[in-house]
Each structure stands twice: as structure tokens, then as C-alpha cells.
Amino acid sequence: MAVSPLPRAGAQADNDDSRQEKPMRLSILLFDGFTALDVVGGYEVLANIPAMEVEFVSNHSGLVASDTGRLGMAAYRSFGQLDATDILYLPGGPGVAAALGNAALMACVRRLHATSAWTVSICNGAEILGAAGLLKGKKVSTNWFAREHVAAYGALVGTERYQRDGKLITGAGVSASIDAALFLAALIGGEQLARTIQLGIEYYPAPPFGNGTPDEQPQMAKDLVRHVEQHGAARLAARVIPF
Amino acid sequence: MAVSPLPRAGAQADNDDSRQEKPMRLSILLFDGFTALDVVGGYEVLANIPAMEVEFVSNHSGLVASDTGRLGMAAYRSFGQLDATDILYLPGGPGVAAALGNAALMACVRRLHATSAWTVSICNGAEILGAAGLLKGKKVSTNWFAREHVAAYGALVGTERYQRDGKLITGAGVSASIDAALFLAALIGGEQLARTIQLGIEYYPAPPFGNGTPDEQPQMAKDLVRHVEQHGAARLAARVIPF
């Protein structure tokens, strides 16, 4: 059943010819060790597009553990059940490494991308698309730490917070899910829709210690984050999952 | 077991005397119809503070349905089980209205706030604190739509994206969870810690249609969002929950 959190404007149709109101499906793929904000930043935007049906997909129905092991999210479709979707959405996280070896997930990605209207990756979720052979010559963004990994798949990796190459929408790390999804929401339903969703999630950022770019952060911060990223498997293995 | 995603600096201790490394507990209260980004924006920051133990709490263990009914999150502690915590965290969402009538939740909030080191609310989660009698004369932020509701509890509601009044940290709507949590992370562990976490989640926002404030958005956008907010109960009742 379509969830329509925003009322259809009906007779109050705005001048935006590109507004999308026929049902669309958003399929968010989850895998053990995903990063929750990669998912929820984009979900909170895209789920509020009128007539958007949202589904969470994994190996099987059930709880999927995030990278911290403390947040569990429900999947209720399995990779093998999906034939097609409108928006294929790949989050990232330290679980990507194992996801690359998940045959059902990788087959699902290739199958859905073939007919998707849009394919989205956030953070190092781009590595999944790269490993599926879908990024050759494509302009993409990914998180700061994964740039070389994604480039190794033949992608043209940029430093933009989000990018579009055809139907491919890719975002930088984690919180870039919000910006990338607002950009996509406008492509689907027009700028007014995107700005209304922006108001609904009050995305008027004011980072307490200022804005910037990953590249210009202090070396010590970069070294710490790189250390965490490089020890993703150990971090996942050390989780004590309470659900 | 404490999750320590960032390595303890040990002999590499920085000059920040306020860095917090003894275990702290973050208790995130969930209720049916919560808004997921209210939770995950703050969670993704605070869970990355070294030695932070994170728990999700609800009426009982099990899945809690978000406001869209499509995202389900796992709770594994119940309100009655909690005696105390370091950080009490209240998200918002259309489910707040029913949460106000949830005796176990409200008792948990009063009990935990009595000894918490920090009490955080995001969005209209502030209404829960208000109804618990905890905001009289306090300077708080909440989402744009709920300002009058929260003021009715005696709070001094401002338009800031996040505020501090003593141990009370309150954020504006939904995505303000990120900014508020980064601010709190610095109070707990110092500015360098907060800036490192900011890099880890790549929170260098670039909203595609610009920044601003809720108040200066077009009237039509405000009317649409107000309409959605006013029909929260109907929206929740219309959910078809697949898990």
C-alpha cells in the first residue's frame, strides 16, 4: 500500500510539470554492518515523496544489525524476491566488505539496476555498485576513505557531496544521504516538493564547529577515522548484539 | 559491553582535558510512530563517542514501528527496566501524542531525568519532557510546528537549531538531531572529538536548494507540512506495517 504522507495537491497543482505522483517503489538493501544514517538520511526524504512505497530488503526477513551492533532494523523482503524496483538504494558501512561476497545481494543489485528508474548509493555503498560492474566510466561520489577503492572499479570519483550520472545518484559519506536524497526528490517531483520535504525534516544545517570538506580536516582526525575504517571487520566481529 | 569505535588515544592523549572515556550509557526511547531521523541523526554521532553504550528502550523488547510504518527498529530494554542512565534521549514524531498517555514511558522519563547527566529531546520529543513537567522556565528548541505546544508547558521556546539549558539539550526538527548531538559530543568529550565524529559522518552539509530557516520558507510549503503534522494520528492509523 502506498504511503502518502503529503496530500496530493489535486486541483492545487503547482506549475511543476515534473511532479511525480504515480506510485514508485523504493527498495533499500540492508546487510549486516550497514551504517544506519546512510539509510535513514535518504529514507526520511524519499519516503515522504507522495505515493512512495518503501521496502527494506536483506538476505531474509528479520532484524539486520548495524555497524555498532546496537541498532537493529527490520527487513521484510529478501534479495531473491525482488524482480524490479523504481529506486534501488544501497547504503554503506563496514559491512560492505562482506556484502561484496554475498551472491544473492550482488545478483539482486545487478537485476534491479537493469530496470531501475534510479540507482542510489551512499558512502562506500558505491563499492557494491562497482563490484557489480555498474560504475565503469561513471562519475560518482563516495565517502572520503573509500575513494581509491571505488576508483579501482573504473569509476570517475569526485569530491562532490553528491552526483548524478544518468540514473545513478551517488552520495559521499553517511550524512550526505540527506543532500543526495533531496537532490533526487527534486528530479522525481520537482524543486518545490524537495523544498517542502526539506522543511518537513528541517534540514537547515548549522554544524556547531563549522562546515568544510573532508579533505581539509586536521591530519589527526583523518588518521583516527582512517584507523576506524581500516578495522571495520574487527569492529563488526567485536559487536555484542542484544537483539 | 562498551562499544569503542574510536581507539583510545592512550599515550597520544590530546590536550583536551574534557575528553570523556569512562563508560557512559545512552538510552534512546522509542515509541510507536517515532520519526527515524530524529533517532538516527543523534545516534550516529553519540554512538561514536568512545566507551558509549547504546540501548534502545520501549514498552517491551521487539520491533517499534516508525511514523511511515515501513521502518522498524529494535528495542531491547523496556521502560520499567531502566533505573538510570547517563544520556536520556527522546526523539519526536506523530507518535508523541500517544506517548504522552503512556504511563510507563512518562514514568521512565521522569525517573531517568532525575539522575541523568544529559537529557536530550529532538523535534516534538520536547513535548514529552514538557508533559513530564521538566521544562518549566527552560530554554528549549523544538520543531517549527510544535513551538506553541511546547511553550504551553512553560518552556521558553527559541528558534535556535539546538540549545543547552543546564543538562538539557534540545534540538529543532528531525535532522537537527545531528547538529544537537555534535554539540553534546563536544560537551562530553571536547571539540576535537566532535570534529572527528563530524568527519566520520562527513557532516559537511550542502542542501541542494540552499540553507535557511523554517520560518522563511514559502507559505505553501509551510501549509503542506502543517497539514501533515496536524493529521499525524490519521497518518499513523493508515499505516500498513509489513513486519
Side-chain angles (χ1 to χ4, degrees):
Chain A
M1 174 182 171
V3 174
S4 300
L6 294 181
R8 291 163 187 269
Q12 301 165 312
D14 59 23
N15 292 325
D16 190 340
D17 293 331
S18 64
R19 188 183 64 225
Q20 172 65 29
E21 283 201 11
K22 62 187 213 298
M24 291 187 79
R25 174 178 289 187
L26 166 63
S27 301
I28 300 176
L29 273 52
L30 300 180
F31 44 85
D32 181 67
F34 71 97
T35 296
L37 186 53
D38 290 24
V39 169
V40 176
Y43 148 89
E44 203 66 68
V45 170
L46 299 173
N48 280 301
I49 294 173
M52 185 65 70
E53 300 181 16
V54 183
E55 60 185 11
F56 287 90
V57 194
S58 196
N59 291 301
H60 45 75
S61 291
L63 278 174
V64 185
S66 67
D67 49 7
T68 63
R70 310 308 288 185
L71 187 151
M73 199 172 292
Y76 39 90
R77 299 288 301 284
S78 63
F79 297 133
Q81 286 181 313
L82 264 57
D83 295 322
T85 193
D86 296 299
I87 307 174
L88 169 61
Y89 188 109
L90 273 303
V96 161
L100 298 181
N102 182 332
L105 183 155
M106 296 301 296
C108 178
V109 169
R110 291 186 184 96
R111 186 168 66 249
L112 265 57
H113 178 75
T115 59
S116 66
W118 304 98
T119 293
V120 180
S121 71
I122 303 298
C123 201
N124 63 330
E127 291 186 47
I128 294 173
L129 299 180
L134 306 176
L135 298 185
K136 291 189 173 64
K138 301 293 186 184
K139 292 169 22 178
V140 306
S141 289
T142 185
N143 59 310
W144 159 77
F145 174 76
R147 288 180 192 157
E148 293 88 4
H149 299 296
V150 175
Y153 291 112
L156 305 173
V157 179
T159 59
E160 291 90 334
R161 189 154 176 81
Y162 54 86
Q163 294 201 58
R164 175 185 187 185
D165 191 323
K167 72 177 189 179
L168 189 63
I169 306 291
T170 53
V174 192
S175 65
S177 56
I178 302 174
D179 310 72
L182 284 169
F183 175 68
L184 176 56
L187 295 175
I188 291 171
E191 178 173 333
Q192 288 313 309
L193 170 68
R195 296 185 70 170
T196 302
I197 293 173
Q198 181 179 5
L199 174 59
I201 64 168
E202 282 195 42
Y203 190 52
Y204 307 107
F209 303 104
N211 212 326
T213 67
D215 297 279
E216 63 198 17
Q217 298 311 307
Q219 192 59 42
M220 190 168 82
K222 289 178 170 178
D223 289 345
L224 264 170
V225 174
R226 186 175 288 279
H227 177 95
V228 170
E229 300 268 356
Q230 284 173 334
H231 292 80
R235 180 182 170 203
L236 295 181
R239 292 173 300 170
V240 176
I241 297 174
F243 46 78
Chain B
M1 174 178 169
V3 174
S4 299
L6 294 181
R8 291 164 187 267
Q12 300 164 315
D14 57 24
N15 292 326
D16 191 342
D17 292 333
S18 63
R19 188 183 62 223
Q20 172 66 31
E21 282 202 10
K22 63 187 211 295
M24 290 186 79
R25 173 178 289 186
L26 165 65
S27 302
I28 301 176
L29 273 50
L30 299 180
F31 44 85
D32 181 68
F34 71 96
T35 297
L37 186 53
D38 290 23
V39 169
V40 176
Y43 149 89
E44 204 65 68
V45 170
L46 300 173
N48 280 301
I49 294 174
M52 184 67 69
E53 298 182 18
V54 184
E55 60 186 11
F56 287 90
V57 194
S58 195
N59 292 301
H60 45 74
S61 293
L63 279 175
V64 185
S66 67
D67 49 6
T68 63
R70 310 307 289 184
L71 187 151
M73 199 173 290
Y76 38 90
R77 298 291 300 285
S78 65
F79 296 133
Q81 286 181 312
L82 264 57
D83 294 323
T85 194
D86 296 298
I87 307 175
L88 170 62
Y89 188 109
L90 274 303
V96 161
L100 299 181
N102 182 332
L105 182 154
M106 296 302 295
C108 178
V109 169
R110 291 186 185 97
R111 186 168 65 249
L112 265 55
H113 177 74
T115 59
S116 65
W118 305 98
T119 293
V120 180
S121 71
I122 303 297
C123 202
N124 63 332
E127 292 186 48
I128 294 174
L129 298 180
L134 305 177
L135 298 186
K136 290 189 173 63
K138 301 293 188 183
K139 294 171 20 178
V140 305
S141 289
T142 185
N143 59 310
W144 158 78
F145 175 74
R147 288 180 191 159
E148 293 87 4
H149 299 294
V150 175
Y153 291 111
L156 307 172
V157 179
T159 60
E160 290 90 332
R161 190 155 174 81
Y162 55 85
Q163 295 200 57
R164 175 186 186 184
D165 190 323
K167 72 177 188 179
L168 189 62
I169 306 290
T170 54
V174 191
S175 65
S177 57
I178 303 175
D179 310 72
L182 282 169
F183 174 69
L184 176 55
L187 294 175
I188 291 171
E191 179 174 332
Q192 287 314 308
L193 171 67
R195 296 185 70 168
T196 301
I197 293 173
Q198 182 180 4
L199 174 59
I201 64 167
E202 282 194 43
Y203 189 52
Y204 307 107
F209 303 102
N211 213 327
T213 67
D215 297 277
E216 63 198 18
Q217 298 311 308
Q219 193 58 43
M220 191 168 81
K222 289 179 169 177
D223 290 345
L224 264 170
V225 174
R226 187 175 287 278
H227 177 96
V228 170
E229 300 270 356
Q230 284 173 334
H231 292 80
R235 181 182 169 202
L236 296 182
R239 292 173 299 170
V240 176
I241 297 174
F243 46 78

